Amino acid sequence: MEMMKCVIKEKAGAGNLKLTTRPIPEIGDCDILVKVLAAAVCGTDVHIQDWNEWAAKRLTPPSIIGHEFAGEVVKTGKNVKNVKIGDIVSAETHIVCHTCDLCRNGYEHVCYNTSTIGVARDGCFAEYISIPAENAFVCDPKIPIEVLSMMEPLGAAVHAVMEFPVAAKTVAVVGCGPIGTMAVAVAKQVGAAKVIAVEPNEKRAALAVELGADVVVNPIAVDPVEKIKELTGGLGVDVVLEFSGNIYGIKAAIQYLKPEGKLAALGLPSKPIDFDLAEFVYRGLTLKGIAGRLMYQTWEQMKGLLAGGLDVSKVVTHILPLEEYEEGLRLMKAGECSKVILKPF
Ligand SMILES: NC(=O)c1ccc[n+]([C@@H]2O[C@H](COP(=O)([O-])OP(=O)(O)OC[C@H]3O[C@@H](n4cnc5c(N)ncnc54)[C@H](O)[C@@H]3O)[C@@H](O)[C@H]2O)c1
Ligand SMILES: [Zn+2]
Ligand SMILES: [Zn+2]
């Protein structure tokens, strides 16, 4: 049996990650085997390491972690038609049922029966991964593999930006971690008039400017509500894209909006938040949760954006060998990076 190196969550509890070897996975008739050339570290991987409530409910160790990746197709099942050996692919991480009412109504991204790569099944912090061919997305091989490994989080950013029209509008991007930073670039590319990035981490704020933010607001150094009013002639913004998941960040974000403003919320707060619904109603505001990526409209939009010159390569701040996954997770936890990419080969 041919073996591969991989990172597993060995057992429940904090820590318990281990670099080990496992057999190269078998594939079914509708699956493909991908040689992982780059895998990106996500906040979710940190949650799995820390074993928070979310992770404890969804993982059954031992299993291989990691879900953001790109690689080369090295084997295809006999029924596979959309992908061929040698293709460079990335992947949608949600494996869905196609039979529930949500799937049948075009809402696959919130399918009741979703199984997520690197969470409910073996992931990509490994030399090889087996995935259903339908989840593969064939990429332009001219784009650097590190960038292609971020297609899944880029898709989350694109989904949020595309939810409400942003062309010719004033947009606040709240929280410039990797996803918010990519959203800044996407919003500019699709024609936002002004993008105001709100981010307390100076390094990340500087990166948001490099990706196209017109101005950054540090919500710790200044009152962000006052500052945003000042930057918008007292009016507020048309659209808020929320990527901080921070309770104070979200509450302030509601105040950034002008009447009839739209808030697309993607960041995940750890606790429920309260806000004044009467005021929300009175001002005619809209709030929309953004879960994952539309399957597969968001992926097609990404293809178009990348073909049109979208460049998010600066979001890659660190490239490490797979063996140094612990350093990658540490950088993420400390906020000392934007995206950390692991290379198994
Ligand atoms: N909805 C989905 O499908 C989905 C998918 C992936 C990630 N997420 C969530 O999206 C969020 C963004 O993920 P990420 O990978 O970019 O990383 P992240 O969590 O590192 O980014 C959050 C950023 O918000 C900043 N921040 C903290 N407090 C703030 C405040 N008060 N105002 C403005 N910014 C503030 C942080 O400094 C950080 O840079 C996370 O909450 C993550 O859990 C959601
Ligand atoms: Zn992720
Ligand atoms: Zn379904």
Side-chain angles (χ1 to χ4, degrees), residues 64-256:
I64 302 172
I65 68 162
H67 56 276
E68 301 173 2
F69 71 98
E72 183 185 346
V73 178
V74 291
K75 208 189 265 186
T76 59
K78 73 176 190 327
N79 298 338
V80 173
K81 297 202 171 63
N82 60 325
V83 181
K84 58 183 191 312
I85 290 172
D87 281 348
I88 297 296
V89 296
S90 184
E92 169 54 54
T93 50
H94 290 177
I95 296 167
V96 300
C97 78
H98 296 299
T99 54
C100 73
D101 67 308
L102 292 168
C103 281
R104 288 181 175 224
N105 278 306
Y107 300 126
E108 288 93 339
H109 61 296
V110 285
C111 167
Y112 304 109
N113 307 310
T114 301
S115 151
T116 304
I117 292 172
V119 180
R121 55 184 274 151
D122 280 337
C124 65
F125 287 0
E127 289 178 300
Y128 296 90
I129 182 171
S130 158
I131 59 166
E134 67 169 55
N135 282 64
F137 191 77
V138 180
C139 298
D140 175 354
K142 289 197 285 295
I143 298 172
I145 198 77
E146 295 81 14
V147 172
L148 296 178
S149 73
M150 305 190 297
M151 290 291 279
E152 191 260 23
L154 172 62
V158 169
H159 186 184
V161 175
M162 297 302 200
E163 185 63 36
F164 300 113
V166 298
K169 306 276 190 189
T170 303
V171 178
V173 173
V174 179
C176 292
I179 300 180
T181 304
M182 290 194 277
V184 165
V186 175
K188 284 307 277 185
Q189 175 143 352
V190 299
K194 185 172 189 173
V195 173
I196 303 169
V198 184
E199 169 59 55
N201 177 319
E202 296 289 346
K203 266 195 189 162
R204 289 181 164 191
L207 191 59
V209 171
E210 282 192 57
L211 276 269
D214 296 287
V215 53
V216 283
V217 172
N218 181 331
I220 292 171
V222 298
D223 178 333
V225 179
E226 266 176 35
K227 188 71 192 173
I228 288 202
K229 289 278 150 73
E230 183 192 314
L231 290 167
T232 53
L235 300 175
V237 301
D238 298 292
V239 177
V240 168
L241 306 174
E242 201 325 287
F243 302 101
S244 77
N246 179 280
I247 291 173
Y248 303 104
I250 297 166
K251 283 192 173 183
I254 297 169
Q255 303 302 322
Y256 303 160

